[in-house]
Amino acid sequence: MAIAVAIAAQAAHGSANQLLLMVLLFCWMIYKRARLSWLAIALGISTISYLTMDARIVEGPLLAGNYEGTLTFDEISIDGDRLSGFAADTTGRVIYASYRIRSIEEQQSLLALGPSAALYVSGEFQEPRMPAHSYAFDMMRYLKRHNASGMLEVGSISSAQSSTGVRARMAKQRSNLIEHIDKTFPVSLAVEAQALLLGERSSMDAEQTRIQRTLGITHLFAISGLHIGIVTAMMYFILLRLRVRKENATVLLLLVLPLYAMLAGAAPSVMRACAMVMMVLGARLIGHHVSAVQALSASFILFLWLDPGLLHEIGFQLSFGASFGIIASLKLMEGASVIKSGLIVTAVSQLCLYPLLLLHFYEISLSSFLVNVLYVPLFTLLILPANFILLAASFVPIGVDVLLFSFYEPLRSWIERLTVFLAGLPHQVWTPGRPSVVWLLFMLVSVLVFFIQAEKGFRPRLLCILLIPAMLFTAKPYLDPRLHVSFIDVGQGDSALIELPFRKGVYLIDAGGVLRFDSQPFQEKSRPFEVGRQTVVPYLKGRGISNIDLFILSHPDADHAEGADEVFEELAVEHLHITPGSEANALMLELAPAATEARVELPKSGSYWEVGETQFTYLSPEDDRYEGNDDSLVLLMEHQGQGFVFTGDLEAEGEAGVVERYGDKLADAAVLKVGHHGSKTSSSRLFLEALRPEISVVSAGIDNRYGHPSPEVTERFDELGLPLWSTAEHGTVHILVEAGRISIDGSRK
């Protein structure tokens, strides 16, 4: 609760000192009932952190210009032909460095260095690109979170050598273990084992991630307190059975736990759990008792003292938020059975985190309350211990692992089929969108009030305290009388979103795409960029959209339709419109399996429908034969006297046909989606003079290889005095129609 308040305070005011003041208040809230010595320690550490925070945070503009020197990487990431990671220069500054690998020989030599290395490089600092929209990945924020001074595009590497030291050795061991699991575990089990045992999730595909998110079991695949507890219990049990004294066993655990945390990737949840266990064990070793709330609070303060930027880390927020909520609610579990306690723990952790989950992910799994009752014991008693045992057995040369895998793999396969079945059930995810700071605080206050009242005695009607803010936030778009039109920045591609007043309809026109060019095998990335999943879907979910009433694919070009399958996988689509004759296109045939649940229609020029006071008319194509860009679906939307024209990749000849058939209807259109990304083959003078749009939007990528929008086209707009907005310059362009008046803004101010 207090963690999220601190985040909201910083989001509202942007001050590091205010952020630490909130942390100070958090410490006071936790320790107000503690002994004076504990309170003094907490306030002392917080005060020091408060006074020294500015000195430990990079302020001001990022580095610019050229750079030549040594960069030391704690962990290098090599994916395909791209090397990247955070590194320290000789002065200790943190720099995010990226390098494009030239050949397979160079890739192999860099991989041979191991995860930690010192590289002598030369390159140029780059300005991070602004995000496509407010719900997309923000590189600048990512750099600030890691306290980086700049982003370096490395041009050449002169020399390289492996790093030494404890951290380098542990990183190497982690890399070796990941490789060992990949070689010795069955293919169906290797990815899960890497995630559960070592926190390595990069090999998980998008479908696995989606299933886990739908069921709300993602936390089980991220190393946390559950894993650390099992590791501690197993090691302690084994040491005692080996007749090691309890004191010596405790000392060994204190030595081994931080090493395991480093092997597991040192994620915030791992470090938090290790720190808490070590504090409890250390205090017990010297004859003192440390409560869970004291250990949690002390570790919270300590981590923020060491790295204030951790407060921006999602894993840090969720780990500490859930732990604090569970500890603060222990009174609710007094006298409860094991099953009931499990339900309470699951409910508490979900309820106290739901504002934070909406802030970061825009949606919450509703089924997680019940699913976790089954899966938490399943992972605790079977899957996690089994993976530890299988890893140990894989080092035994007599084939014990083969025998164990022969029993475990079929069982795990059955569990996986059950998981896929459960994830396929409808209406499991609540997607209200991302709350503003005001809504976030409203939700947090309701959570706090609920738990305060529940401690006095739970009654079903107390759930209204939680449900009312959630229901009001969900209802907000259905009470909005305005028309929203967004031209999503998908780079060199097209995607537009229409949200009708009172959410009577949600229409998506195209889904962007990445133009794939021939490449060598070593250049292929394990998880290539997916514009549908990583740009379009987050924008829709951020705006509280989980269902698309109509998905229009203007024509089957990759930069319009390649991202469509990812949209179908992530969202429910009721109707799909495609241009007649395109159903046999190769891209459409690839899309067909993903689009089976949608009702497919092939509209032509003249197709018309209404929703409330909004009218829609297709202006093209004329026939059932698809021959290229001029057969794009061209849609006219009219609302409160304002016309919107969505042209796909319509070119000059197609534009002339549309003007001939619908010239009067197009006169003085308010908004034009410029055809073919501003190519010189589109936006003819005839077409522009017929429409005379108040606003024109061209969707094109920054520094794209085609030079879109063409200088000839931009000059034509200038000559006619027609304002032109570009997603390359303005980011996602959002247009609002309210009471017949139009307003416009871009995500890049």
Side-chain angles (χ1 to χ4, degrees), residues 502-649:
F502 304 106
R503 196 53 73 80
K504 289 183 178 179
V506 173
Y507 297 170
L508 181 66
I509 305 176
D510 293 329
V514 178
L515 298 175
R516 311 287 181 185
F517 300 97
D518 292 337
S519 60
Q520 298 181 45
F522 86 91
Q523 295 176 306
E524 295 178 2
K525 294 178 172 56
S526 60
R527 298 187 73 173
F529 177 75
E530 298 176 309
V531 69
R533 200 182 313 277
Q534 293 169 248
T535 302
V536 177
V537 169
Y539 187 77
L540 270 66
K541 289 188 175 183
R543 295 188 63 81
I545 295 169
S546 59
N547 185 81
I548 298 172
D549 297 290
L550 173 59
F551 191 2
I552 301 170
L553 291 178
S554 64
H555 64 298
D557 277 3
D559 56 343
H560 291 250
E562 194 256 358
D565 58 338
E566 298 140 31
V567 172
F568 277 106
E569 289 169 6
E570 296 281 347
L571 303 169
V573 178
E574 294 187 14
H575 295 85
L576 172 65
H577 285 184
I578 61 175
T579 187
S582 68
E583 59 270 28
N585 180 275
L587 186 58
M588 289 301 184
L589 291 175
E590 289 180 15
L591 176 63
T596 52
E597 294 184 6
R599 179 180 174 184
V600 181
E601 298 176 22
L602 293 82
K604 292 190 294 186
S605 175
S607 298
Y608 172 88
W609 73 97
E610 291 185 9
V611 180
E613 58 180 337
T614 310
Q615 298 84 40
F616 297 88
T617 307
Y618 277 115
L619 312 181
S620 179
E622 278 288 284
D623 54 40
D624 294 327
R625 186 171 55 186
Y626 177 73
E627 296 178 324
N629 289 340
D630 279 335
D631 288 318
S632 297
L633 285 173
V634 177
L635 180 68
L636 169 65
M637 177 179 69
E638 298 171 284
H639 178 78
Q640 295 181 345
Q642 306 289 359
F644 290 70
V645 182
F646 303 90
T647 57
D649 271 356

Side-chain angles (χ1 to χ4, degrees), residues 219 321-322 325-326 329 332-333 339-355 357 364-373 376 447 450-451 458 463 466:
H219 63 98
I326 291 170
S329 305
L332 296 176
M333 289 177 267
I339 295 177
K340 187 176 179 181
S341 295
L343 283 169
I344 293 173
V345 167
T346 301
V348 166
S349 59
Q350 292 289 319
L351 290 175
C352 69
L353 290 179
Y354 99 83
L357 292 171
I364 293 175
S365 169
L366 298 177
S367 60
S368 65
F369 292 92
L370 296 176
V371 170
N372 275 282
V373 175
V376 169
V447 171
F450 169 78
F451 280 114
F458 176 77
L463 291 172
L466 293 171

Side-chain angles (χ1 to χ4, degrees), residues 288-462:
H288 288 279
H289 172 72
V290 174
S291 67
V293 69
Q294 289 171 337
L296 178 66
S297 306
S299 60
F300 178 80
I301 298 164
L302 179 62
F303 285 131
L304 284 184
W305 184 27
L306 296 172
D307 183 3
L310 275 173
L311 195 58
H312 297 282
E313 183 78 42
I314 297 173
F316 182 86
Q317 298 168 18
L318 298 181
S319 178
F320 276 94
S323 300
F324 181 72
I326 291 170
I327 291 172
S329 305
L330 288 176
K331 189 175 179 180
L332 296 176
M333 289 177 267
E334 291 179 356
S337 64
V338 174
I339 295 177
K340 187 176 179 181
S341 295
L343 283 169
I344 293 173
V345 167
T346 301
V348 166
S349 59
Q350 292 289 319
L351 290 175
C352 69
L353 290 179
Y354 99 83
L356 281 179
L357 292 171
L358 291 184
L359 180 67
H360 293 299
F361 305 112
Y362 328 131
E363 63 183 6
I364 293 175
S365 169
L366 298 177
S367 60
S368 65
F369 292 92
L370 296 176
V371 170
N372 275 282
V373 175
L374 169 64
Y375 277 78
V376 169
L378 189 62
F379 272 73
T380 304
L381 302 175
L382 174 62
I383 295 176
L384 267 174
N387 275 275
F388 280 111
I389 293 169
L390 290 168
L391 178 61
S394 68
F395 288 99
V396 178
I398 58 175
V400 175
D401 57 335
V402 176
L403 178 63
L404 294 176
F405 283 133
S406 67
F407 287 101
Y408 180 71
E409 188 176 14
L411 175 61
R412 188 64 187 90
S413 177
W414 182 86
I415 296 171
E416 182 62 21
R417 289 196 296 272
L418 173 64
T419 304
V420 172
F421 168 76
L422 292 175
L425 297 176
H427 310 303
Q428 295 192 67
V429 180
W430 172 47
T431 311
R434 185 171 69 189
S436 64
V437 172
V438 173
W439 276 102
L440 179 65
L441 291 175
F442 182 30
M443 293 173 181
L444 290 168
V445 169
S446 73
V447 171
L448 181 61
V449 171
F450 169 78
F451 280 114
I452 289 174
Q453 295 300 317
E455 261 198 320
K456 298 176 183 177
F458 176 77
R459 298 175 298 281
R461 66 172 178 270
L462 291 178

